[in-house]
Amino acid sequence: MVNKPMVDILIEEWLALRGNAKKYKYVSRSAQDARPITNNVKALIEIVKYGSKIFTRSDVNKRAEKNNSNVYAAALNNIFNAMKGLRIFDRFGFDLQKENNIEKTSRSVIKDFDEWNFEINKFDWINNESDERLSKYIPLGQLLDLLNNRVDTNIE
């Protein structure tokens, strides 16, 4: 590995930063995956997978068991902070030619509109004047259980 000494330094700093506190008891040297990238597609899939993995089973050996998923907000916060400012995704493809003859549309100010506010306890957008619900969404019991009982919110 070309940058092996730098990788070792980063891992040691990570362990020193997160390995001492009791709430980070699962941080270990053996869990740190440091290897050369030989396939960019597979590497990107791993980055996206861990960067967007919201639901995690509390016990991987009980995969068939329902209601076994938790949201580890503190861990996700660490992952998102580690990826902050990094260009994980980039555009790809081609540029369309700009057309010179596009007519500018006239802009007007909309003065007649309804105001809606999202009320988290109702899981819906509520009209300020009529109290009408926008989506009439009713969450499933499993979602309520997850939100109320299975989210680790101990974020520093």
Side-chain angles (χ1 to χ4, degrees):
M1 183 181 304
V2 176
N3 293 319
K4 176 88 168 95
M6 183 54 69
V7 168
D8 290 338
I9 290 169
L10 288 171
I11 290 174
E12 292 308 318
E13 286 182 5
W14 170 253
L15 292 171
L17 181 68
R18 297 291 183 205
N20 294 332
K22 283 187 178 184
K23 71 184 211 177
Y24 296 109
K25 63 184 176 182
Y26 297 111
V27 176
S28 69
R29 178 71 170 95
S30 62
Q32 310 311 309
D33 186 7
R35 57 191 150 137
I37 294 174
T38 56
N39 183 322
N40 288 341
V41 172
K42 283 184 179 180
L44 180 61
I45 289 170
E46 287 298 309
I47 289 170
V48 171
K49 180 173 75 173
Y50 286 104
S52 61
K53 191 172 189 174
I54 304 299
F55 302 104
T56 304
R57 301 227 181 261
S58 56
D59 186 347
V60 293
N61 296 322
K62 296 180 180 177
R63 291 181 186 211
E65 190 177 298
K66 287 189 175 186
N67 297 329
N68 189 28
S69 293
N70 293 320
V71 176
Y72 295 100
L76 285 169
N77 187 54
N78 287 338
I79 292 169
F80 294 149
N81 282 330
M83 293 183 349
K84 184 178 181 180
L86 299 178
R87 226 172 154 170
I88 305 294
F89 300 102
D90 202 351
R91 66 181 193 90
F92 61 92
F94 57 91
D95 293 325
L96 293 175
Q97 291 181 346
K98 294 181 181 178
E99 297 206 19
N100 295 330
N101 298 332
I102 298 176
E103 293 182 31
K104 292 184 179 178
T105 57
S106 62
R107 294 184 180 175
S108 60
V109 176
I110 298 173
K111 295 179 182 175
D112 184 25
F113 58 90
D114 290 335
E115 287 190 27
W116 298 77
N117 287 315
F118 188 79
E119 292 189 21
I120 197 162
N121 60 332
K122 295 182 180 177
F123 297 94
D124 209 343
W125 291 88
I126 308 298
N127 186 295
N128 288 356
E129 290 184 21
S130 68
D131 284 335
E132 177 187 1
R133 295 173 68 125
L134 183 64
S135 71
K136 298 174 183 64
Y137 174 70
I138 299 172
L140 296 174
Q142 289 173 305
L143 176 60
L144 292 173
D145 175 57
L146 179 71
L147 294 173
N148 294 325
N149 305 315
R150 298 177 181 276
V151 177
D152 165 24
T153 58
N154 297 321
I155 300 174
E156 287 183 3

